[in-house]
């Protein structure tokens, strides 16, 4: 029964469907999403991309239940056809949203941004439906990122003070790692005392891609 994961997925989407129906049914002003035409247009244009990946996630489970590779296209026909329709639907939505945004007075730049975003999302979905081709396209940038990160790490190891600490961690992590963690915590505490807690936003934003890269690297290895 390859349709069971999709039935479960549709049931999980039921609260969003109820919310959308009630939002459209009740009259009167609706502050929030529609306050900015540009935001509303970009959100509406990105809905097919969300559904595309939702179907892909459910298809991984359904394909595995059917004894097929999870990364292949959905085995169940309706899911495969629906996923295929998401890219053309994005193009149509982006064209309609572009005209609507321009009519709302956002100008050529705002309308062009909506059209560009929609075409990029449609291209991503078109490429993602070809697993081998998308894997080749993502392999090279991923390798470039890994090479760049390793180059930066080699430069950091050669720095006078920080490099010495990192080399000590590599040689004797049980002794050096706790000391570095304590010093890092004290440094952040000093930054918060001197500049305020708002200053911690910068290292937090820097740490997001670093942690993301570490997670991807560990998963790949």
């Amino acid at each position: 029964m390859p349709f069971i994961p999709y039935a479960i997925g549709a049931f999980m989407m039921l609260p969003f469907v109820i919310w959308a129906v009630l939002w459209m049914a009740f009259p009167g002003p609706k502050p929030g999403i529609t306050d900015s035409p540009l935001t509303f247009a970009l959100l509406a244009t990105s809905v097919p991309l969300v559904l595309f990946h939702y179907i892909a996630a459910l298809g991984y489970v359904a394909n595995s239940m059917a004894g097929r590779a999870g990364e292949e296209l959905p085995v169940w026909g309706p899911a495969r056809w629906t996923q295929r329709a998401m890219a053309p639907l994005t193009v149509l939505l982006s064209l309609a949203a572009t005209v609507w945004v321009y009519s709302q007075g956002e100008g050529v730049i705002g309308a062009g941004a909506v059209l560009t975003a929609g075409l990029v999302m449609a291209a991503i979905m078109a490429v993602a439906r070809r697993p081998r081709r998308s894997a080749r396209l993502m392999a090279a940038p991923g390798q470039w990122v890994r090479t760049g990160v390793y180059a930066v790490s080699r430069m950091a190891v050669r720095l006078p003070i920080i490099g010495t600490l990192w080399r000590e961690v590599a040689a004797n992590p049980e002794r050096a790692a706790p000391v570095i963690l304590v010093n890092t915590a004290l440094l952040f505490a000093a930054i918060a005392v001197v500049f305020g807690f708002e200053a911690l936003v910068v290292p937090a934003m820097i740490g997001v891609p670093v942690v993301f890269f570490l997670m991807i690297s560990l998963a790949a290895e």
Side-chain angles (χ1 to χ4, degrees):
M1 295 184 178
F3 61 89
I4 291 180
Y6 303 104
I8 297 174
F11 178 76
M12 294 175 64
M13 293 292 293
L14 187 59
F16 298 98
V17 175
I18 295 175
W19 174 85
V21 171
L22 294 177
W23 187 86
M24 292 184 293
F26 282 94
K30 302 178 178 69
I33 299 176
T34 57
D35 289 345
S36 172
L38 187 61
T39 302
F40 180 72
L42 290 173
L43 180 62
T45 307
S46 63
V47 168
L49 180 63
V50 176
L51 293 177
F52 180 92
H53 287 287
Y54 192 58
I55 294 173
L58 296 174
Y60 195 98
V61 179
N63 287 4
S64 300
M65 292 174 60
R68 300 283 295 274
E71 62 273 11
E72 294 181 357
L73 297 178
V75 176
W76 194 45
R80 187 170 62 254
W81 304 330
T82 304
Q83 190 185 54
R84 182 184 301 166
M86 291 300 102
L89 178 60
T90 301
V91 174
L92 295 177
L93 285 176
S94 63
L95 293 175
T98 300
V99 176
W100 180 76
V101 165
Y102 185 79
S103 67
Q104 295 297 313
E106 293 293 335
V108 177
I109 296 179
V114 173
L115 180 61
T116 302
L119 295 179
V120 169
M121 287 186 285
I124 291 174
M125 285 184 278
V127 174
R129 281 187 55 82
R130 299 169 174 84
R132 294 181 180 179
R133 182 181 301 179
S134 61
R136 289 196 300 267
L137 291 176
M138 291 185 291
Q143 185 60 37
W144 297 340
V145 171
R146 290 177 67 93
T147 303
V149 170
Y150 291 149
V152 171
S153 64
R154 287 194 294 269
M155 292 175 58
V157 170
R158 293 186 175 90
L159 293 176
I161 298 177
I162 299 177
T164 303
L165 295 176
W166 284 117
R167 288 195 297 271
E168 182 66 21
V169 170
N172 193 351
E174 292 81 4
R175 184 182 66 180
V179 176
I180 291 181
L181 292 176
V182 171
N183 289 333
T184 303
L186 292 176
L187 176 62
F188 286 159
I191 292 175
V193 170
V194 176
F195 301 103
F197 285 101
E198 296 81 3
L200 298 179
V201 174
V202 176
M205 294 179 64
I206 296 175
V208 169
V210 173
V211 173
F212 186 75
F213 171 78
L214 292 175
M215 292 173 61
I216 295 297
S217 299
L218 291 175
E221 293 177 357

